[in-house]
Amino acid sequence: MRARTHAVLAASVVLALAAGPLAAPAFAAPSAPVSSSANRKGPAEEALRAAIAGLPNQYATAALVRVGTPGGDWHGSAGVRDLADGRPAHPDARFRAGSITKVVTTATVLRLAAQDEIDLDAPVQGYLPDLFTPEFEQPISVRHLLNHTSGIKPGDGFGDDFAEVYAHRYETLTPQQVAASAIAKGPEDFVPGTRQQYLNINYTILGLLIEKVTGRSYASQATRLVLRPAGMHHTYFPGTDPRIRGPHNRGYQAVERPDGTTELVDVTEWNQADRWAAGDMISTTADLERLLTKLFRGRIVPQPELEEMFTTPAGVPGATHSAGLQYQEADGQVFWGKSGARYGYSAFIGGTRDLSRTLVYSVNSTDAKGTARNPVVDAITAAALR
């Protein structure tokens, strides 16, 4: 790719990625050495090392990166495990994968469709009659949920800003409560399948659908149908457990004090059961790389169901989301991927469909849910696409 294309793609291929507080002052914490392993020539190793060097800084406290190219692979880590003691970041750490969970949920639904247990064209109202009210007259297909064209409004949470939700971080809001609150608001004023609105509620309802047709928990079915076939042995669904089990790098959120200074609040422990099938999975970069490669190679979801993940809805203006993924195009190449963000943790998996270029990372962003771009994330993406 040309240099200009690198910059354009780095700024656009990963949408909704973690961002950092641009005005936050640098904090005093010991810098950990960068560790990496290059299997063979291929990735821009020097640029990748530079992208994650100098952590922790005001934008991130740790980063884990895996890049794959035809000429070789590169794995790197930098930053600290814990700001309190400054130990180097664990290179195989577990982290909150956020909305990357939707990739697993999609693959679970598509495998059930391949087994004729779910009809993608069937109205979800027929599967979950006790959830929907008579106001939902227009049929909402399972496919509409998968590609975010359902017209279902978002469900309720514990609040709208960090202070509100942080105060409730050990409390439980069930997926059933979230779904019921969304349905109680009535449908949007458009015909399902004609507009695309990226919302977690679509995947919360898909989780309920999985449980209804199988008679088993979402976590058990996603593990059976996706995690095990993908070899994701260090990935799990925490449910109401606020902890991250196993080795992990702690997550922090930058919060402005009344006097205008910034403090970093530890947000590692958090009960995120309400995100469930839409965003409550704990994983590792190695496991997510396995998911990406085996999924794209057709080893988890068979054809023709796999095509759903590489097909955006026809006739929907501006649609970039398929079932579980999102695409960006630059210099004639199409990249498919999925980002995820929970407070303290930003993650991404993606690549070309032929896997000639892949990127998986976890960045402990200090403003993971913010709207401003994160320079660490941008530097990683630019270096990975060289």
Side-chain angles (χ1 to χ4, degrees):
M1 292 184 183
R2 298 183 300 274
R4 186 185 67 81
T5 303
H6 291 159
V8 172
L9 189 55
S12 63
V13 69
V14 186
L15 296 183
L17 290 176
L22 298 179
F27 49 87
S31 180
V34 176
S35 63
S36 65
S37 62
N39 299 330
R40 52 194 182 276
K41 292 182 179 180
E45 298 181 20
E46 184 175 345
L48 286 163
R49 290 192 185 94
I52 60 175
L55 298 182
N57 62 21
Q58 68 198 84
Y59 308 110
T61 58
L64 313 175
V65 183
R66 303 176 77 89
V67 175
T69 73
D73 305 322
W74 187 88
H75 308 158
S77 65
V80 295
R81 195 173 306 189
D82 186 334
L83 288 176
D85 58 29
R87 290 176 298 164
H90 198 298
D92 301 312
R94 292 178 174 177
F95 53 85
R96 300 192 187 280
S99 285
I100 295 175
T101 309
K102 293 181 176 69
V103 179
V104 172
T105 301
T106 297
T108 303
V109 170
L110 294 179
R111 285 208 61 180
L112 292 171
Q115 297 167 190
D116 294 325
E117 295 184 58
I118 290 178
D119 182 349
L120 300 183
D121 293 314
V124 70
Q125 293 99 317
Y127 287 109
L128 300 168
D130 294 336
L131 174 62
F132 288 88
T133 64
E135 291 180 277
F136 288 81
E137 299 176 353
Q138 296 283 349
I140 300 171
S141 72
V142 176
R143 184 177 284 106
H144 291 149
L145 295 173
L146 286 168
N147 62 29
H148 299 282
T149 59
S150 70
I152 299 174
K153 295 178 180 177
D156 292 338
F158 280 123
D160 297 322
D161 60 27
F162 174 75
E164 287 180 305
V165 295
Y166 181 75
H168 296 280
R169 66 191 181 281
Y170 292 114
E171 299 176 32
T172 297
L173 184 61
T174 69
Q176 291 78 9
Q177 290 173 309
V178 174
S181 69
I183 297 303
K185 298 173 184 176
E188 291 283 6
D189 58 354
F190 67 86
V191 176
T194 62
R195 285 171 53 186
Q196 191 170 70
Q197 292 181 319
Y198 178 85
L199 293 172
N200 284 332
I201 189 60
N202 293 300
Y203 279 71
T204 300
I205 294 176
L206 285 171
L208 297 175
L209 171 65
I210 290 167
E211 294 195 335
K212 183 63 178 291
V213 300
T214 65
R216 300 182 183 276
S217 72
Y218 163 79
S220 69
Q221 294 308 290
T223 300
R224 178 178 70 89
L225 295 172
V226 181
L227 302 192
R228 287 177 185 164
M232 300 172 71
H233 302 302
H234 302 289
T235 299
Y236 71 99
F237 304 97
T240 59
D241 187 350
R243 302 166 299 169
I244 298 177
R245 301 197 302 266
H248 59 277
N249 303 319
R250 302 194 72 81
Y252 301 87
Q253 171 65 30
V255 177
E256 186 176 352
R257 300 187 183 99
D259 63 2
T261 60
T262 298
E263 68 173 321
L264 290 175
V265 176
D266 192 320
V267 292
T268 308
E269 292 191 359
W270 203 305
N271 174 355
Q272 300 185 4
D274 60 313
R275 300 299 168 174
W276 198 41
D280 190 24
M281 182 175 73
I282 290 173
S283 191
T284 67
T285 54
D287 271 9
L288 293 181
E289 188 176 58
R290 293 186 188 99
L291 172 65
L292 177 69
T293 56
K294 292 192 176 183
L295 183 63
F296 281 29
R297 287 172 179 160
R299 296 179 183 175
I300 299 175
V301 176
Q303 295 285 358
E305 287 77 17
L306 183 59
E307 289 305 310
E308 297 287 338
M309 302 192 75
F310 299 101
T311 305
T312 55
V316 179
T320 61
H321 293 278
S322 62
L325 298 174
Q326 185 176 18
Y327 86 93
Q328 288 289 324
E329 184 175 357
D331 202 24
Q333 295 191 78
V334 175
F335 294 83
W336 295 89
K338 189 73 191 76
S339 61
R342 304 305 307 142
Y343 285 111
Y345 300 90
S346 300
F348 176 77
I349 64 171
T352 56
R353 186 169 180 180
D354 64 1
L355 297 172
S356 60
R357 180 79 56 167
T358 62
L359 169 61
V360 177
Y361 69 68
S362 168
V363 174
N364 290 57
S365 302
T366 57
D367 191 17
K369 302 293 287 183
T371 56
R373 300 201 63 83
N374 188 314
V376 176
V377 167
D378 286 347
I380 291 170
T381 307
L385 296 174
R386 286 194 178 185

